[in-house]
Amino acid sequence: MASSSIVYLISILSLIFIVQESSILVVGDAGLIQSTCQQTRLPDLCTSTLNADQSSQTADVKGLASIVIAAGETSAADTSKYILNELVKTYTDANAQVVTRCSTFYDNAKSALEGSAGDLSSDELDNAILEVAAASTYGDNCKNSFSNATPPVAYPDALAQRQVTLQGLCGVANDIIEVIRSSQP
């Protein structure tokens, strides 16, 4: 009888351990969002981004990462449109080429994030992280194209703010993917 009690106790303790270790895969709620976002470099951006998407309430951590990646895709696409529809009009022909190139960088950022989402869904986490990092770098490439122009062109504040947003979302996505990666055996 004592040995069956010990086996039962070990089974219960093992089950508790498994449940705690697999909590990364459970369906989300405000607690999962909060605990996940606290593991990122920008918890407020993470929380506000996820709370803005209703599907985050029923997502697991992988789903939360997908939502942040999608927000990054939207940010990159909106920045590209902003550059072409608003910003390019304010520059002379020579400088408009620099600005137009930035639109291409943000299109590339969106494509990299799309690739990251695909990698995430197929559990290619290392590739997903690389794609997120590439997307973030495209924002720097845009900024550098302004300073590398001859003569250098002032980097617009509105574009700088959009760059910060995209790079923040990329950082949060990276951190959530790292949470997923660290939970895998």
Side-chain angles (χ1 to χ4, degrees):
M1 181 79 170
S3 67
S4 67
S5 295
I6 291 173
V7 170
Y8 179 75
L9 181 60
I10 290 172
S11 297
I12 294 295
L13 291 174
S14 297
L15 181 61
I16 290 171
F17 177 75
I18 290 169
V19 168
Q20 284 180 329
E21 288 300 309
S22 66
S23 66
I24 196 80
L25 303 175
V26 299
V27 172
D29 59 15
L32 181 62
I33 292 169
Q34 188 65 27
S35 66
T36 302
C37 287
Q38 288 306 312
Q39 297 178 66
T40 68
R41 65 192 80 187
L42 298 168
D44 292 340
L45 177 62
C46 177
T47 303
S48 65
T49 301
L50 293 173
N51 285 337
D53 188 311
Q54 188 64 25
S55 66
S56 67
Q57 297 300 316
T58 57
D60 60 8
V61 177
K62 191 179 200 182
L64 298 178
S66 294
I67 291 166
V68 174
I69 290 169
E73 289 177 40
T74 300
S75 175
D78 290 349
T79 301
S80 179
K81 288 177 191 169
Y82 165 75
I83 291 167
L84 292 177
N85 296 336
E86 302 297 326
L87 198 58
V88 77
K89 297 174 191 174
T90 63
Y91 289 89
T92 63
D93 288 343
N95 292 337
Q97 291 177 3
V98 171
V99 178
T100 302
R101 192 171 332 137
C102 273
S103 174
T104 303
F105 287 131
Y106 280 94
D107 289 339
N108 293 342
K110 181 181 183 295
S111 295
L113 289 168
E114 289 170 348
S116 178
D119 292 333
L120 178 65
S121 69
S122 62
D123 292 322
E124 297 292 332
L125 301 181
D126 291 338
N127 290 339
I129 287 171
L130 290 173
E131 294 281 2
V132 168
S136 183
T137 301
Y138 284 120
D140 290 330
N141 293 345
C142 172
K143 182 178 182 179
N144 293 339
S145 69
F146 277 78
S147 60
N148 293 335
T150 305
V153 178
Y155 192 58
D157 289 338
L159 190 52
Q161 291 169 355
R162 291 168 184 268
Q163 177 188 355
V164 167
T165 299
L166 174 65
Q167 290 178 324
L169 290 167
C170 288
V172 168
N174 177 78
D175 295 344
I176 296 174
I177 296 168
E178 286 290 352
V179 168
I180 296 165
R181 191 162 68 168
S182 70
S183 72
Q184 293 183 337

